Amino acid sequence: MNVSKRYVTWFILLVVTAVSAMAIGQDQAAAEAKQRELLAVLQSNAPKAEKAIPCKQLAIYGTAEAVPTLMSLLADEELASWARIALEAIPGPAADEALREAMGTLQGRLLVGTINSIGVRRDARAVDGLVQKLNDADADVASAAAVALGHIGGDRAAAALTQALAKAPAAVRSAVAEGAILCAEGYMAQGKAAEAVKLYDAVRGADLPDQRHLEAIRGAILARGSGGIGLLTEQLRSDDKDRVGIGLRTARELPGRNVTEALVAEMDRLSPQKRSLLLLALSDRKDEAVRPAVLKAAQGGPNALRITAIGILIRLGDASCIPTLLQAATEGDVDLGRAAQETLVRLPGKDVDADLAARLPQARGKLRQVLIELASQREIQQSLPTIVSSMEDDDPAVRAAAVQAVGVLGRDRQHVAELTRLVQKTAASSERAAIEKALLAVTGRVGAPAVSYLMPLTKSSDRSLQITGLRTLAVVGGSEALDAVKAAIAGDEGDVQDEAVRILSTWPNRWPDDADAGEALLRLTRSGGKMSHQVLALRGYLQHIRGNKGLSNDQKLARIVELRPQIQRPEEERLAIAVLGEAPTAGALELLTTLAQDAAVAEEAYSAIVTVAAADVPGLSGPQRRRALQTVLDKSANNGTKRRAQEALKKVQ
Amino acid sequence: MKSVTTKARTRLPNETIGPGRRQFLKTAMKAGALLALPQVIPGSALGKAGSVAPSERIILGAIGIGGRGRYVLSCFLQDPDLHCVAVCDVRGDNRQRAKAMVDDRYGNQDCATYIDLREILARRDIDAVLIATGPNWHATASIMAARAGKDVYCEKPCTKNIAQSLALADVFRRTGRVFQAGTQRRSLPNFAYAVELAHSGRLGQLQTLHAHPGGLGTSMSGWLPTEPAPARDQADWDLYLGPAAWRPYNRRLLDGFNFEKGGGMTGGGCLEWGSHCVDLCQWANQADDTAPIEYEPVNGQLHARYANGVKLVMRNDGWLPLGSCPVRFEGTTGWVETGDDAEFGASSPDLLTRRGAKIPGYPADFHVRDFVDCVRTRAQTRANADCACWAHIACHAANIALYLNRKVTFDPKTCEFVGDEQANRLRSEALREPWRI
């Protein structure tokens, strides 16, 4: 960097610093002004309602200057807590001194609140005063003091709390223990485990509610580190469910390989149910040393324990667990098999995929079925050739698994060809349905190249195969597929014709050549051989208009007007309303107003009217829009629609 | 990048995915479907599914049982190995409705009713409590319950500020009690699946997370005009206020949602919805033990950034057509989005072939089941106090940035805003006497 550049850099830094300092100065001046404004309210004769929020805002803007005013509110039952919001937040000794002073003058609930705030601020200079309050006749005050001492911590607080554990009245003792445990946590944070242990043990030995004992047990175990293993296993062996519970929680927390090993060793001493629970706890330790114990439990013993262990292997297992899991998956027990298969699906790693794929070619029967299902669920593409050949396995369960798996994994025209061939040589309707399902899925992925394989199905003498062909062609769309559907509609085979009409009525509207479906549907609305065909075609046509981006709003309206004589039932009226609501024009509003006269669809029409009238549509005047919205407000029973109408009305000029 | 959605006719009517294609997608997705949730613990291992003696049943009390509370309670009541014995609410109408519901379930008149939560917490026979009061009480009541030796299922938002979030996690760690935040989307397969895609690397390296806590902004309920207070058995106003700063009775405030959402200075949609959708983003980013380090209001949104570089965008309105509480996770190679209608949008259909069962409508049943399981196993729930703590901290920090209307920088290690006294002062708020956390 040359000299001139360095000067420029320094100059920029200087300017930035100066601007920042000015900004900070401005911020500070603004904060001080805000504080003065807030204090003026608090010092005035304003009603309390006007003083509450300023107290709260002083939590942000208050300084030592605000403390005396806030302190004067600590004796006010209604404003004391508002004042403490600010006093707890204002940094510096002034607020601490104010709270300590208030501790000497207040009583009852207000004193409790003040002591709580001292505890939150961890004011070490308040310890002597708080120790005195430990002996207060008011149990709530003494309890608050004990907890505040716990928050502040230190040797003086710890000694006072330890003493109080023995002599405090029962109503206060639980809070004293709470304070002692907080103190112990403070010691732990400072690395003073020995001091913490003393406090925890003192609580364990005192006459207290069970929960305080449980907390002390947990603390005593953790503070002792590895030395706490004995106390931990003592809890696990207990007959008391709360002791076992705290043992299980602590078993998850206490670190160390030797702890893991001790807990694994403990497994054999426990009942099967406790072993399940401990196994779950062990699995949360994220220690690989647990895996052999889990694997052992998965291999044999009570089913409940095996299932728990198998579930844990999702997190702890690897490829080495596969034999155990496959054994459990194929044993014949439904629950065990389900659990094992779920774990095998979720076991992470490409090496797991490779292992499973390598086992498939040699596998037979149930194992082959399971491996195919796993390949499908794990999407193991390398197993696909074996799976395709398994679609003609002698075992029906294997065949079914293979067909389903090809549906998931297949993405090649060759798979369409295989499935097409298979469906033609399969007689059982249930198997045909499964093959059709797979064919639909694979065809969806393959797209147009699948058409040449599917067309022969539509020309089959087997009507069921014709229907399968039409359904799968519909997934692809396009002109060739559409022609096949139209030909089926023109044919004379009732069930094929019915299905073709249904397919046409839900034809995709994706490609330019799919637009021809609209014309075919329109023709069918008038010339359909059956009433049901005309109805389906009408509904399909209305859907088609709705999604056709090639039509303008006016053109959509014109089509609806043209069809109006046929739109008589509520179902079709609703579809027409949906089209009109999304194609706002003056004519649409008029037609919607007419449709709203039919009580069966009135609410749908009102909702669409609001949408249209809220839009700024050419040819639709302000008065027309307001009139329509007012009609909705007057007649709609739907609060949501009325609310939208009200909002729209406010905006219409 | 080609995208796909499983939502029928949402983005544009009748385009991209026609009915036939929709059917195909459904077929493809059912094939190989996988429940994308953590391990299911066998009932027999937990002594449930009717296999336990009545003396071993989990005994439940319910605190705060308005509309939402009664819904979650109904999920608890389905469990044959759990028995609800008492309900508590400061409102008489809520108490009576909940009692009728419980008594109807068991065919008796045994359900006890309480106005004061301290009385129900003092019952030694009660193992666990459902807390569904207004947000004002959630943290304080949960902490009191844990100290009283109860496991807790608590509705969200669980805390009013950062200090309460930390205290909640501390207390549940200290007491060894089980806590489940009522963020039930953690137990629903569509959200779990989207998270699994993020965790498994199938989206590439995670880059941006989108949450939709509609109603971003701050709210501050104040001191409404005094109205004559009802009799205590109708509504105990002092207990209703509980830890909140005092104000006179006004019936408009007698609704948890209108009363100091999130704590007065902060609140609004950021907590109401963020406790769900920001929580899901935290989960996706494997950030259950931390929170973003920067928060900045940008054009009505809140942009945050994690230490690992992942960006979190909290949107306010107008976005995904996937039902309420939508989230979107974007990585370097793909994206996925889902919401309460349990449908998906994704950059590629291949991402969705292993999605789990479709369960729309954000039911709480599965989440309640997870809680009940963990009461028995003492394991951490899916929305335990630690992950709830950090998700709420992220929401509170965002709210503080919104309230101050400027960027704030947060240090998750110290839980302090860096060099920012104003922001730091908003981390906590004094409780009204005699309550403490």
Side-chain angles (χ1 to χ4, degrees), chain A residues 373-631:
Chain A
E373 287 167 359
L374 289 170
S376 163
Q377 289 163 313
R378 294 180 65 95
E379 298 177 47
I380 306 175
Q381 283 290 336
Q382 67 204 85
S383 292
L384 194 50
T386 313
I387 294 172
V388 170
S389 65
S390 301
M391 290 199 295
E392 293 178 86
D393 196 283
D394 292 340
D395 184 337
V398 172
R399 286 204 302 272
V403 166
Q404 191 268 346
V406 170
V408 172
L409 300 173
R411 52 193 65 237
D412 189 273
R413 67 180 76 185
Q414 191 54 39
H415 300 132
V416 176
E418 286 291 336
L419 288 164
T420 309
R421 185 182 62 78
L422 197 61
V423 78
Q424 291 179 84
K425 64 177 280 196
T426 301
S429 60
S430 63
E431 287 201 41
R432 270 195 178 185
I435 297 167
E436 181 185 307
K437 200 170 168 184
L439 195 55
L440 283 166
V442 178
T443 300
R445 285 192 285 272
V446 171
V451 171
S452 60
Y453 299 96
L454 301 172
M455 288 303 287
L457 292 179
T458 65
K459 297 182 175 74
S460 167
S461 57
D462 183 334
R463 294 208 300 273
S464 154
L465 287 177
Q466 286 181 43
I467 288 171
T468 296
L470 294 171
R471 284 176 181 161
T472 42
L473 282 168
V475 171
V476 182
S479 60
E480 205 176 348
L482 185 58
D483 287 344
V485 173
K486 286 196 279 191
I489 292 172
D492 55 4
E493 292 176 292
D495 49 351
V496 177
Q497 200 178 38
D498 289 347
E499 185 63 17
V501 169
R502 193 198 63 76
I503 289 169
L504 185 65
S505 72
T506 58
W507 195 256
N509 202 356
R510 183 176 177 182
W511 310 111
D513 41 18
D514 285 336
D516 291 347
E519 293 312 312
L521 284 164
L522 185 59
R523 277 198 301 278
L524 207 54
T525 60
R526 289 157 185 158
S527 61
K530 295 180 186 174
M531 180 55 75
S532 62
H533 290 182
Q534 291 184 15
V535 169
L536 276 173
L538 179 57
R539 290 177 190 174
Y541 186 62
L542 289 168
Q543 290 268 31
H544 180 84
I545 295 173
R546 189 180 174 196
N548 192 334
K549 288 192 286 187
L551 296 177
S552 68
N553 289 349
D554 285 329
Q555 285 172 318
K556 288 183 180 181
L557 173 66
R559 302 281 173 104
I560 299 284
V561 170
E562 188 186 342
L563 285 170
R564 184 70 184 91
Q566 290 164 262
I567 301 174
Q568 297 297 332
R569 277 179 293 266
E571 290 82 357
E572 287 88 58
E573 285 181 336
R574 286 194 186 96
L575 291 168
I577 287 167
V579 177
L580 296 169
E582 291 171 5
T585 62
L589 187 62
E590 192 183 333
L591 188 47
L592 285 167
T593 307
T594 308
L595 286 164
Q597 290 167 8
D598 180 350
V601 296
E603 285 304 333
E604 285 92 339
Y606 290 141
S607 178
I609 285 170
V610 174
T611 306
V612 174
D616 192 6
V617 177
L620 203 52
S621 68
Q624 279 177 298
R625 293 165 70 193
R626 278 200 299 276
R627 204 161 42 246
L629 291 166
Q630 191 56 53
T631 304

Side-chain angles (χ1 to χ4, degrees), chain B residues 253-323:
Chain B
L253 294 175
L254 201 61
D255 171 343
F257 284 98
N258 290 328
F259 188 86
E260 277 204 320
K261 272 187 198 172
M265 285 294 187
T266 55
C270 207
L271 265 295
E272 175 61 21
W273 285 106
S275 50
H276 280 299
C277 54
V278 171
D279 174 61
L280 293 166
C281 292
Q282 289 267 116
W283 187 19
N285 194 27
Q286 302 187 66
D288 279 342
D289 57 353
T290 188
I293 56 172
E294 286 176 359
Y295 303 79
E296 185 173 18
V298 179
N299 299 329
Q301 299 180 349
L302 191 289
H303 291 189
R305 188 174 65 81
Y306 288 91
N308 67 357
V310 172
K311 187 175 172 185
L312 168 64
V313 178
M314 300 189 199
R315 293 169 176 270
N316 198 19
D317 52 26
W319 181 38
L320 294 171
L322 295 170

